[in-house]
């Protein structure tokens, strides 16, 4: 009986796998239907370059407005936590350098990597984004205008943004945030491709 039941379960799993394959598997790990980011090619049918560029950034905006990003780009000096963007507990604050106040630095609790037993996120340079890069609560259009402005994006050029969003390991944490936190949509690789395509098409804002 157990052997028959196990065979049936395996058969069902194989059937489901075959069905998914026939429909087309996700292009990248973690880029399934519920969390997928559209590829730049998806917008090729938009003839007007400015409209296409704005549409690409709108798609990228799904990442930039996700709690994994906005929690570390808060409107004030206190970071947010979790998918509900609740105020950080215990109460901590930005400090002069974004690494916390002298009495309670970010590294006092956050280690170099996620600590699964406690559900504690971590990274070697865990810190808040600079105040001028705060975009919690802002529209995608407002974030677009801000992210293009070197005075409000950490002094970065458009090409610098490609490396920052696409290669920076702290930004990459958003796609591997550990237990109890939903990852940002898509993958960092796909986000990088969207930034590149947005720039090539004119870096227009929605």
């Amino acid at each position: 009986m157990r052997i028959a039941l196990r065979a049936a379960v395996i058969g069902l799993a194989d059937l489901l796998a075959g069905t998914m394959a026939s429909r087309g598997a996700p292009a990248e790990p973690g880029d399934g239907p519920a969390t997928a980011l559209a590829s730049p090619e998806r917008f090729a049918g938009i003839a007007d370059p400015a409209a296409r560029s704005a549409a690409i950034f709108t798609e990228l905006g799904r990442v930039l407005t996700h709690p994994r990003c906005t929690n570390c780009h808060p409107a004030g000096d206190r970071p947010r936590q979790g998918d509900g963007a609740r105020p950080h507990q215990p109460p901590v604050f930005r400090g002069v350098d974004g690494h916390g106040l002298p009495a309670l630095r970010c590294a006092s609790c956050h280690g170099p990597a996620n600590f699964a037993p406690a559900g504690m996120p971590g990274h070697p340079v865990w810190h808040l984004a600079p105040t001028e890069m705060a975009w919690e609560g802002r529209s995608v259009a407002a974030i677009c205008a801000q992210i293009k402005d070197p005075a409000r994006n950490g002094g970065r050029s458009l090409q610098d943004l490609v490396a920052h969003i696409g290669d920076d390991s702290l930004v990459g944490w958003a796609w591997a945030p550990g237990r109890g936190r939903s990852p940002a949509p898509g993958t960092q690789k796909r986000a990088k491709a969207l930034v590149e395509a947005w720039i090539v098409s004119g870096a227009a804002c929605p």
Side-chain angles (χ1 to χ4, degrees):
M1 184 65 177
R2 288 182 179 177
I3 294 175
L5 180 59
R6 184 170 182 270
V9 170
I10 292 173
L12 179 59
D14 289 342
L15 177 62
L16 289 172
T19 301
M20 291 301 293
S22 68
R23 292 179 180 176
E28 300 176 41
D31 206 17
T35 58
L37 275 179
S39 68
E41 292 74 22
R42 186 78 62 84
F43 304 93
I46 303 176
D48 178 65
R52 182 168 66 254
S53 190
I56 291 170
F57 193 90
T58 298
E59 183 68 7
L60 178 66
R62 295 179 51 222
V63 172
L64 303 179
T65 58
H66 190 275
R68 295 294 74 75
C69 290
T70 57
N71 284 358
C72 293
H73 287 256
D77 288 332
R78 189 173 176 186
R80 300 282 174 166
Q81 286 181 312
D83 291 354
R86 64 188 182 277
H88 192 292
Q89 291 293 345
V92 295
F93 298 90
R94 180 187 305 279
V96 175
D97 60 358
H99 289 257
L101 298 174
L104 187 56
R105 305 288 282 171
C106 298
S108 298
C109 297
H110 296 280
N114 294 338
F115 183 60
M120 177 71 73
H123 184 275
V125 291
W126 192 264
H127 65 280
L128 283 180
T131 303
E132 62 269 21
M133 294 175 66
W135 60 55
E136 176 194 7
R138 295 182 181 174
S139 68
V140 172
I143 294 172
C144 181
Q146 178 180 357
I147 210 172
K148 289 171 60 175
D149 182 356
R152 296 186 292 160
N153 72 5
R156 294 178 174 87
S157 67
L158 290 179
Q159 287 302 320
D160 289 336
L161 288 173
V162 175
H164 179 63
I165 293 175
D167 301 317
D168 188 289
S169 61
L170 181 56
V171 173
W173 173 89
W175 287 275
R179 178 171 59 86
R181 289 171 290 274
S182 63
T187 64
Q188 188 173 23
K189 180 180 178 181
R190 178 60 57 81
K192 181 178 183 177
L194 287 170
V195 179
E196 291 174 327
W198 171 63
I199 294 171
V200 169
S201 57
C205 289

